Amino acid sequence: MKNFAKLFPILKQYTYLNTAGSGLLSLPVMEWRQEHDLDFLIQGSILKENQAKVLTSVREKVGKLYSCKANRVALVPNFSYGFNTLVEGITTHKKVLLLEGDYPSVNWPFESRDFNLSYIKITGAIEEEIATAFAKAQPDIFAFSMVQWLSGIKINHKFLKDLKSKYPDTLFLADATQYLGTEVFDFDNSAFDAIGGSNYKWMNAGYGNALFLFKESVAEHVAPRTTGFNSIQGKYKPQEGSFLGRFEPGHQDTLNYGSLGVAIDVIRQLGMKTIDEKIKAINTKAKEAFAERGLISKEIIDRVDHGSFFNIKGDDKLVERLRNEGIITIARGEGVRVGFHYFNTEDDLNKLLALCSLK
């Protein structure tokens, strides 16, 4: 599908560079949502009789996309809900390693509970910082965002896998909200014990749905206490007290989770490998252009691994100037955050660069 404006009608009006803030609603997802609510309008509870089938289908689509068996896929309303459920099930007083300035929904759940916390700074040499912290005092838990929400720094997969091999007893828990949907990802072959993410950003699945993926061994270390009638409803939650059921205690919204299922259909139609390649290509060009113009820091320039967005030099005035010219961005941290998804083009980049060069 080359004409992405047909898939995302907003692109006819704007140059959209704010996926890191909020993804777009695609035409197929919108049409499915309309049909779903029309069915609910005229069918009432008859529609809800198929709830288990809808949720099972979505769970299986998630598992297939990210190489994780469906019985280890939890569907939750948002990352923060799922992560708090996970952390609440961990025995306190454990040593937890966090990144200073990481996304609040990663750090706050640990900071609001009784854990032994230590922090490392997020720098261009983040892998070296992490390795040093592990060698100094191996943590019981390492919790972090795969891609940093302010800078776009992405932690190297091979580094994480090597680190996990060296410290197999440490639980690796990650927020992948700024990562899922940007590249091919094999969960079962990764370092993570558990990874979660809200899907309204790079998955373009709308709000109200998130996912968590677990390794089999996580249930041996985490015992969430949340429960409810829905904890035993569905193909993959057969008995009371099941690990997966702890993350889904109440009635699930077929509208929101069904939207995720359709968003995955769109991804699979385009091809995750194709999406991966397109995102890497446009972001490589963006990084080179930003570096030439002094719009990004040397620590970002020198890194090999980076996510699909950048924090460039600028302020609210630049955001306003860009908005007036039809470019959607957002001020974050000390600069302006701009993200490039598979629907973005070199023309989008060049339009941004032209306006950034104005004084």
Side-chain angles (χ1 to χ4, degrees), residues 44-200:
S45 64
I46 297 173
L47 173 69
K48 294 300 180 179
E49 290 173 3
N50 292 318
Q51 174 175 303
K53 292 180 180 178
V54 171
L55 297 176
T56 294
S57 173
V58 174
R59 199 187 310 277
E60 290 173 350
K61 287 179 181 180
V62 170
K64 186 175 181 180
L65 181 63
Y66 292 125
S67 300
C68 177
K69 288 185 178 180
N71 66 348
R72 293 185 278 112
V73 175
L75 301 176
V76 295
N78 54 66
F79 170 80
S80 299
Y81 171 89
F83 200 61
N84 272 278
T85 301
L86 182 68
V87 175
E88 185 65 21
I90 300 173
T91 305
T92 56
H93 305 296
K94 290 184 179 296
K95 294 185 296 182
V96 180
L97 178 63
L98 302 171
L99 304 183
E100 191 175 294
D102 204 342
Y103 192 62
S105 290
V106 176
N107 287 0
W108 289 358
F110 287 102
E111 292 170 346
S112 65
R113 294 171 173 85
D114 193 10
F115 288 100
N116 181 7
L117 306 178
S118 59
Y119 299 82
I120 59 175
K121 291 185 177 181
I122 300 170
T123 70
I126 191 168
E127 288 85 2
E128 289 84 350
E129 299 281 355
I130 295 169
T132 299
F134 265 75
K136 182 178 179 180
Q138 178 186 347
D140 299 307
I141 299 165
F142 176 35
F144 59 98
S145 293
M146 184 60 192
V147 176
Q148 288 303 304
W149 70 298
L150 293 178
S151 65
I153 287 176
K154 181 175 73 174
I155 303 176
N156 181 271
H157 273 293
K158 185 178 184 305
F159 163 77
L160 289 172
K161 197 167 182 182
D162 290 344
L163 190 69
K164 179 65 175 177
S165 296
K166 190 174 181 180
Y167 300 98
D169 295 331
T170 298
L171 278 179
F172 283 47
L173 311 178
D175 174 12
T177 301
Q178 295 287 13
Y179 173 72
L180 294 175
T182 64
E183 67 179 22
V184 175
F185 174 53
D186 183 342
F187 173 73
D188 278 346
N189 196 37
S190 74
F192 309 109
D193 293 286
I195 194 167
S198 293
N199 300 308
Y200 67 91

Side-chain angles (χ1 to χ4, degrees), residues 211-260:
L211 61 88
F212 268 77
L213 311 177
F214 304 102
K215 296 285 176 59
E216 290 280 5
S217 59
V218 172
E220 300 172 10
H221 306 281
V222 181
R225 288 170 286 185
T226 47
T227 190
F229 182 64
N230 197 65
S231 293
I232 58 172
Q233 304 299 308
K235 179 179 178 181
Y236 297 102
K237 299 179 292 180
Q239 73 282 337
E240 184 178 356
S242 69
F243 182 75
L244 203 61
R246 298 291 187 178
F247 288 83
E248 303 174 6
H251 288 293
Q252 301 284 69
D253 187 348
T254 51
L255 176 69
N256 288 333
Y257 294 117
S259 297
L260 171 59

Side-chain angles (χ1 to χ4, degrees), residues 315-323 327 329-331 336:
D315 52 22
D316 288 330
K317 291 182 179 179
L318 176 59
V319 172
E320 183 178 0
R321 182 197 305 162
L322 295 173
R323 176 67 64 89
I327 300 178
T329 61
I330 193 170
V336 175

